Every structure is written in C-alpha cells, then in structure tokens.
Amino acid sequence: MNNIVLIGFMGSGKTTFGRWVSRRHNRKFYDTDEYIEKKQNTTISEIFATKGEEAFRDMETETVKELSDTLDNCVISVGGGLVLREVNRELLRKLGTVVYLKASEEELCKRLSKDTKRPLLQGGGLHEKIHNLMEQREDIYLDAADMIVDTQKMSFEQMYTAIIKNMED
Ligand SMILES: Nc1ncnc2c1ncn2[C@@H]1O[C@H](COP(=O)(O)OP(=O)(O)O)[C@@H](O)[C@H]1O
Ligand SMILES: O=C(O)C1=C[C@@H](OP(=O)(O)O)[C@@H](O)[C@H](O)C1
C-alpha cells in the first residue's frame, strides 16, 4: 500500500506529474496506458482502431487487477476512462490513495490542442468533445477520489505536499 493513484481527465497531468513524483520523490512509476501498450506491443490508438473501446476497457480492468496485488510506495497514473467501471474504482481504492487531478475544460483544451494520441479526442471539435465527456465523467471522478487537487493553482511540489499530508492524516 502507501501508493498514490492519479485519476482525472485526459490532459489533467497524470503522466507528467506521476513521472515528476517518481523522479523527485523516488517512487516507482506505473502508467496503465504504458502497461497496456507494452503488453499488447502496440499503441492505444491502434487498439481502439482495431479492437474497439470495449476491448481496451477490458485490458484496463485486467491491468488494475494485475497491479493491485503487488505494489507498495509507488505512484500510478491511470487512463482517464479507467474509473468508468465500478469494479476498477473498487480496485483502485484498495491500491492506495486516489487523487483526482482537476483542470478546467478551457485548460484541458489548451493542453490537448496538439494531441494526436488520444483516440476519443481526434477529428475536430475538441472543446465540445471535452465538454461532453466531462459532463459524463466529472461525478465519477469525484466519487472515485479520496482527495481533489487543482492542477491550475499549485506547483507540482505543492500538489505532492498536499497528497502526502492527506495520506498521513
Ligand atoms: N500542471 C500543468 N500545467 C500545465 N501543463 C500541464 C500540467 N500538467 C500537464 N501539463 C501538460 O498537459 C499535457 C498533457 O499531460 P499528461 O501528463 O499527458 O496528461 P494525462 O496523463 O493526464 O493525460 C502535456 O503536454 C503536459 O506537459
Ligand atoms: O479518457 C479516456 O477514455 C482515455 C484516456 C487516455 O489516457 P490519459 O488520461 O492518460 O490521456 C487513454 O487511456 C485512452 O486514450 C482513453
């Protein structure tokens, strides 16, 4: 246990912050998307294109099950849609402290404006896509989280300090 689990919308910074925590505070880093890409030996975009979203969601569930028994003192970045399944939310809770990294739709739009790797956001109308998905997901992120961190108001160091304080309380 004692793991930090990062959830939130695409572009909220789960991977970037997770890697920073890993380097700066010496925790082993896992990223569910990278885990799946390595195991399947292909990209997330290719999985969506050839096998479809449901097959990808099954891979996410498998990944969380595989991770959940083994990790200690790690930081784990979780794909933005992984919490959609209740079974995954339960497994994440067992894995560690679940932190929702929050950013406004405008900010997410800026951060993702040049993205080509996230299949759910390709093909134009980025702001509308983000808005529609956020409408479906925000309550789920809030429900899944032990704590919320506003990524637009804090530095990474401040975010980390807030998370550790929450874990110690
Ligand atoms: N706190 C932040 N402030 C500004 N830009 C950020 C922040 N966190 C991440 N980014 C940028 O947003 C983009 C998406 O970040 P990423 O870590 O890939 O998000 P996620 O893993 O949640 O999808 C990257 O270009 C990253 O540099
Ligand atoms: O929100 C989603 O449904 C997804 C988020 C992505 O991960 P990031 O949140 O790391 O971008 C990746 O798992 C896939 O493209 C689907």
Side-chain angles (χ1 to χ4, degrees):
M1 268 291 267
N2 206 23
N3 298 306
I4 299 170
V5 181
L6 303 173
I7 65 165
F9 202 85
M10 293 169 271
S12 57
K14 302 176 298 288
T15 307
T16 309
F17 177 61
R19 281 192 194 290
W20 179 89
V21 168
S22 170
R23 278 197 312 271
R24 180 74 187 245
H25 295 282
N26 209 20
R27 283 174 180 259
K28 197 155 189 246
F29 175 66
Y30 287 88
D31 180 284
T32 57
D33 288 336
E34 277 177 19
Y35 189 95
I36 290 169
E37 287 184 332
K38 268 197 197 129
K39 195 165 177 191
Q40 299 293 324
N41 197 25
T42 186
T43 62
I44 303 292
S45 298
E46 202 51 36
I47 296 170
F48 269 72
T50 56
K51 299 190 172 151
E53 182 170 349
E54 269 313 291
F56 175 71
R57 299 297 172 207
D58 289 341
M59 291 172 198
E60 289 190 315
T61 299
E62 204 180 300
T63 301
V64 183
K65 282 183 181 156
E66 284 174 17
L67 288 180
S68 60
D69 291 339
T70 49
L71 305 187
D72 189 39
N73 225 30
C74 296
V75 56
I76 303 139
S77 162
V78 158
L82 187 142
V83 295
L84 297 177
R85 288 192 180 172
E86 169 67 27
V87 58
N88 295 354
R89 297 200 289 276
E90 272 168 30
L91 288 165
L92 290 184
R93 262 180 227 117
K94 286 188 195 142
L95 194 53
T97 298
V98 181
V99 182
Y100 172 29
L101 297 190
K102 201 171 155 52
S104 69
E105 289 177 19
E106 289 67 29
E107 175 69 14
L108 292 170
C109 205
K110 270 192 228 157
R111 292 184 194 172
L112 295 168
S113 62
K114 295 195 174 68
D115 177 68
T116 56
K117 290 188 181 151
R118 293 168 175 89
L120 295 178
L121 300 179
Q122 304 310 306
L126 180 62
H127 199 285
E128 198 185 350
K129 285 196 171 99
I130 290 175
H131 177 73
N132 291 340
L133 280 173
M134 191 59 110
E135 217 164 47
Q136 295 165 27
R137 291 182 177 184
E138 173 113 62
D139 285 348
I140 298 174
Y141 291 135
L142 292 169
D143 176 59
D146 294 311
M147 69 177 292
I148 304 165
V149 167
D150 187 334
T151 65
Q152 292 170 253
K153 293 206 173 122
M154 289 187 229
S155 66
F156 281 180
E157 195 64 62
Q158 287 169 329
M159 285 161 61
Y160 182 73
T161 303
I163 292 167
I164 295 302
K165 186 172 182 313
N166 182 286
M167 288 168 88
E168 286 168 357
D169 281 348

